[in-house]
Amino acid sequence: MKLLEVNNLKKIYSSRFGGNQVQALSNVTFSVEKGEYVAIMGESGSGKTTLLNILASLDKPTSGEVLLQGKNIVAIKESEITAFRRENLGFVFQDFNLLDTFSLKDNIFLPLVLSRKNYREMEKRLKPIAEKLGIEQILEKFPYEVSGGQKQRAAVARALITDPQLILADEPTGALDSKSTDHLLKLFSDINNEGQTIFMVTHSTKAASHAGRVLFIKDGEVFHQLYRGSMSKEEMFEKISNTLTVITTGGAANE
């Protein structure tokens, strides 16, 4: 079942007085099935961040549509978009986006507080997630008191606690050491195996090799895609590396 459909997406940025125009996305079309784990890769300036911002309903395309479970998020009224985002999307960022004046528990609870859930419901939702992510012992600590890996696990808990349709991850391993990266990537795989749909933008070949499918963006278009199929992570890593080499050298991608 298609969870996300992106159709003929185009984004053109104009300078303040309309003199210069930059086409960030050009006719991007793809879909994501419910329960998929998709990574998106490409060189800096290829359009990855623009695409993610549109999927997150933080930016609007010049033309095209983005359907989440059949609902065109591009057409949602400005007054309703924040609630829609909070109820349907979970976010994991490179720099964690945790509030230093809140404990980890309060950071995780924040989207539920904004949705006016009662405290008993919040506690009930948090318990299994905290256990799964191994953060039960640090929930009362503040972000400045814990490691980068622990911060990112708290950020994942905040993304999961609303039971979102889709998790959008923006360079989630970018600020982590190798041990924390391995831990986070295993968590993502475990979460995906339980049915959570994940869409991740990354520069990391290692991170992308954990996904079931990798989309490559070049010059604002989908240039190529790789499906894991029966490949091991090591084989997927090699395929991704080879495709990235083709992109940077200007060749044509092979299956």
Side-chain angles (χ1 to χ4, degrees):
M1 187 181 89
K2 289 180 183 176
L3 176 72
L4 178 71
E5 294 178 75
V6 176
N7 298 319
N8 307 118
L9 211 60
K10 185 183 289 186
K11 179 65 179 181
I12 298 171
Y13 291 104
S14 299
S15 63
R16 188 176 174 188
F17 299 107
N20 295 322
Q21 290 193 332
V22 176
Q23 184 146 338
L25 296 176
S26 174
N27 199 35
V28 172
T29 297
F30 65 90
S31 62
V32 175
E33 299 285 319
K34 187 173 176 59
E36 260 200 292
Y37 182 176
V38 178
I40 185 161
M41 302 191 81
E43 296 179 283
S44 294
S46 61
K48 301 187 307 296
T49 301
T50 299
L51 175 60
L52 191 71
N53 285 341
I54 292 172
L55 298 186
S57 65
L58 297 169
D59 195 3
K60 287 192 179 290
T62 305
S63 61
E65 60 180 12
V66 177
L67 305 176
L68 185 65
Q69 285 206 317
K71 186 179 180 71
N72 187 4
I73 68 173
V74 173
I76 296 174
K77 294 176 185 173
E78 206 64 42
S79 58
E80 299 169 1
I81 200 71
T82 302
F84 175 85
R85 197 183 297 132
R86 192 167 57 235
E87 290 164 11
N88 293 279
L89 303 173
F91 298 93
V92 181
F93 303 96
Q94 177 176 337
D95 57 359
F96 320 125
N97 279 23
L98 299 173
L99 299 172
D100 272 340
T101 52
F102 282 23
S103 68
L104 295 183
K105 179 191 273 192
D106 288 341
N107 269 286
I108 295 165
F109 280 166
L110 191 55
L112 297 183
V113 171
L114 294 171
S115 297
R116 299 184 177 172
K117 300 291 183 189
N118 66 57
Y119 191 74
R120 185 177 295 177
E121 168 72 10
M122 292 192 286
E123 286 279 5
K124 183 181 173 185
R125 289 197 192 190
L126 177 60
K127 192 172 187 298
I129 293 172
E131 286 175 1
K132 184 189 303 176
L133 300 183
I135 56 173
E136 314 101 298
Q137 306 304 317
I138 59 169
L139 288 173
E140 301 302 334
K141 290 184 178 290
F142 289 83
Y144 55 81
E145 297 179 307
V146 301
S147 70
Q150 290 170 324
K151 286 181 197 174
Q152 195 59 298
R153 277 182 272 154
V156 172
R158 181 185 56 194
L160 287 173
I161 203 161
T162 59
D163 192 22
Q165 302 286 343
L166 177 67
I167 284 186
L168 297 172
D170 187 8
E171 300 285 2
T173 63
L176 302 180
D177 60 32
S178 59
K179 185 178 177 183
S180 296
T181 292
D182 289 343
H183 195 164
L184 183 72
L185 292 174
K186 184 180 184 306
L187 284 173
F188 268 28
S189 293
D190 291 346
I191 291 162
N192 173 248
N193 287 336
E194 291 172 6
Q196 178 64 60
T197 312
I198 301 173
F199 189 88
M200 172 177 67
V201 167
T202 183
H203 278 104
S204 166
T205 303
K206 181 178 184 177
S209 69
H210 283 68
R213 177 163 56 118
V214 182
L215 287 172
F216 297 89
I217 298 280
K218 182 179 181 181
D219 299 329
E221 297 183 5
V222 177
F223 173 74
H224 187 55
Q225 59 181 333
L226 280 176
Y227 285 88
R228 170 188 296 288
S230 59
M231 280 192 283
S232 66
K233 290 188 183 72
E234 291 73 24
E235 290 169 327
M236 189 70 165
F237 185 100
E238 186 176 351
K239 282 269 194 182
I240 293 167
S241 298
N242 292 342
T243 304
L244 290 173
T245 300
V246 167
I247 288 174
T248 53
T249 56
N254 296 314
E255 289 298 332

